[in-house]
Amino acid sequence: MITTAAQLTGPQQAVLVQPTETGSPGPGEVLVRMQACGICHSDVFVSSLPQLPLVPVTLGHEGIGVVVEAGPGVENVRAGDRVGITYFASSCGECEYCKSGRERLCPKQRNSGYSAHGALTNYAVVSAQQLIKVPLGLDAVKAAPLCCAGWTAYGALQNAALQEGQTVAIFGFGGLGNYALQFALRRKLRPIVSDVSEEKLESARALGATATFLAEDSGKRIAKEAGGAHAAIVFTGSGAAIEQAFRSLKRAGTLVLVGLGAGFALPVTEAIQKAIRIQASYLGTRQDLETVFRLASEDSIEIPTDVRRLEEVPATLQQLKAGKIQGRAVVTF
Ligand SMILES: [Zn+2]
Ligand SMILES: [Zn+2]
């Protein structure tokens, strides 16, 4: 079958929307008719890499679609099931991480839109192994960003290991920070938001943030004026934001790092005296993603989206790179 896909044509080469041949699903694979797929900063990141394991590669790891056909040996999903395609395409199933429910740490994992073909296509053939079922009633455009941004935000909150009533400081109020705020409120935490933009802080307050602070000296102010944070989650890649997050913490607080970036110089003595826990967070567990979809279908959890056509993917990636997209860009099919 000929389908149309947004493909990265080579390392640091153009992204083209082009016809491609899609075969029948092989053993362990399924054919999925896509409904929606979000475009993520990681797609821009992959486009900038000097080497790629698969060329050309169909991008997209925030996909929602319906299984049309299941290949031999597929047992976890069947035709008619609605599924989410994430960055995490498959794992070995045998290593210590796979066996302990931490498949995302598997050294032999394959990733959608990088080492496996992704979801920015009308029809995707993907491994069935890591697909997550998506409730039928959940709108595809709202569901798509949950596959990466929502999952990552939820996983970070899990890693923060907080109790009801405790304070979580969220650094960076883009899509992930927005999701984190909504999840935090549903867990009855006290979410505080820090960002460089007053406009974003305003939308955080409208959603129910307990307090908001402009980024510049937010760490000190959260510690002084808001009693300090039990956990601070950093969604931006900025070293300055990590530093502010460190400053905002109470004693025995947890610094959760999510945004990729250069880092900062850790004041080791102070970290030790305050018994600060530093926790890097990458995606979440399968169960986390199932919970995310359930929460979103029961109790509207959504971020602002900007709906696009598949043909607009190359231009959208450019706009994303230039920081010119408001809300999450989501392609519908
Ligand atoms: Zn992503
Ligand atoms: Zn493994």
Side-chain angles (χ1 to χ4, degrees):
M1 176 174 67
I2 300 288
T3 181
T4 308
Q7 294 194 313
L8 180 57
T9 50
Q12 300 171 342
Q13 300 294 304
V15 173
L16 298 178
V17 177
Q18 55 191 9
T20 81
E21 174 74 36
T22 298
S24 293
E29 292 181 336
V30 289
L31 174 68
V32 182
R33 180 169 47 78
M34 298 313 304
Q35 296 177 321
C37 183
I39 301 178
C40 172
H41 273 284
S42 306
D43 294 313
V44 175
F45 179 71
V46 168
S47 313
S48 72
L49 293 174
Q51 283 185 332
L52 290 171
L54 178 63
V55 170
V57 60
T58 300
L59 294 172
H61 59 269
E62 289 191 344
I64 302 291
V66 176
V67 175
V68 179
E69 188 187 341
V74 172
E75 286 174 359
N76 57 327
V77 291
R78 55 180 160 179
D81 280 347
R82 198 170 189 228
V83 293
I85 297 172
T86 71
Y87 185 61
F88 188 50
S90 66
S91 69
C92 80
E94 288 163 3
C95 69
E96 63 174 291
Y97 306 105
C98 285
K99 282 183 173 163
S100 58
R102 296 176 294 164
E103 296 96 336
R104 68 190 184 283
L105 302 180
C106 175
K108 291 185 181 164
Q109 65 184 275
R110 288 165 69 241
N111 300 111
S112 313
Y114 174 63
S115 46
H117 288 302
L120 277 169
T121 173
N122 299 81
Y123 285 89
V125 172
V126 294
S127 166
Q129 191 202 37
Q130 296 297 332
L131 295 175
I132 301 279
K133 287 187 195 170
V134 179
L136 290 172
L138 189 59
D139 177 74
V141 171
K142 287 179 191 169
L146 293 170
C147 293
C148 182
W151 190 19
T152 303
Y154 189 85
L157 212 51
Q158 290 285 83
N159 275 321
L162 294 164
Q163 313 283 330
E164 195 177 312
Q166 290 189 323
T167 301
V168 57
I170 294 164
F171 287 79
F173 199 68
L176 278 84
N178 194 324
Y179 276 131
L181 171 60
Q182 296 179 57
F183 290 131
L185 287 167
R186 279 155 185 80
R187 287 185 176 203
K188 301 192 166 54
L189 300 171
R190 291 179 67 243
I192 292 173
V193 174
S194 166
D195 195 278
V196 291
S197 148
E198 178 54 49
E199 204 183 323
K200 286 191 176 169
L201 294 184
E202 206 177 305
S203 61
R205 285 192 292 273
L207 278 167
T210 306
T212 61
F213 295 93
L214 272 174
E216 208 176 324
D217 57 351
S218 58
K220 216 191 264 173
R221 291 189 63 197
I222 290 169
K224 241 181 152 177
E225 298 168 33
H230 294 90
I233 307 178
V234 193
F235 289 111
T236 81
S238 137
I242 302 175
E243 195 169 341
Q244 294 299 328
F246 180 81
R247 296 266 156 248
S248 76
L249 286 170
K250 291 170 80 78
R251 285 163 189 262
T254 303
L255 179 64
V256 184
L257 303 175
V258 182
L260 305 176
F264 85 121
L266 178 72
V268 174
T269 306
E270 192 182 341
I272 291 169
Q273 284 168 343
K274 290 186 175 172
I276 299 300
R277 191 167 72 100
I278 298 175
Q279 172 74 54
S281 185
Y282 171 54
L283 296 176
T285 63
R286 282 179 61 86
Q287 201 190 349
D288 288 343
L289 186 54
E290 283 165 7
T291 306
V292 163
F293 283 130
R294 183 175 51 75
L295 287 175
S297 65
E298 286 170 3
D299 182 6
S300 167
I301 286 180
E302 55 185 285
I303 55 173
T305 49
D306 179 344
V307 175
R308 307 273 170 131
R309 288 175 296 114
L310 185 60
E311 290 69 29
E312 294 174 291
V313 169
T316 304
L317 287 168
Q318 290 302 325
Q319 290 166 338
L320 198 59
K321 203 172 171 182
K324 286 183 182 158
I325 305 250
Q326 299 292 325
R328 198 70 161 184
V330 178
V331 171
T332 53
F333 299 92

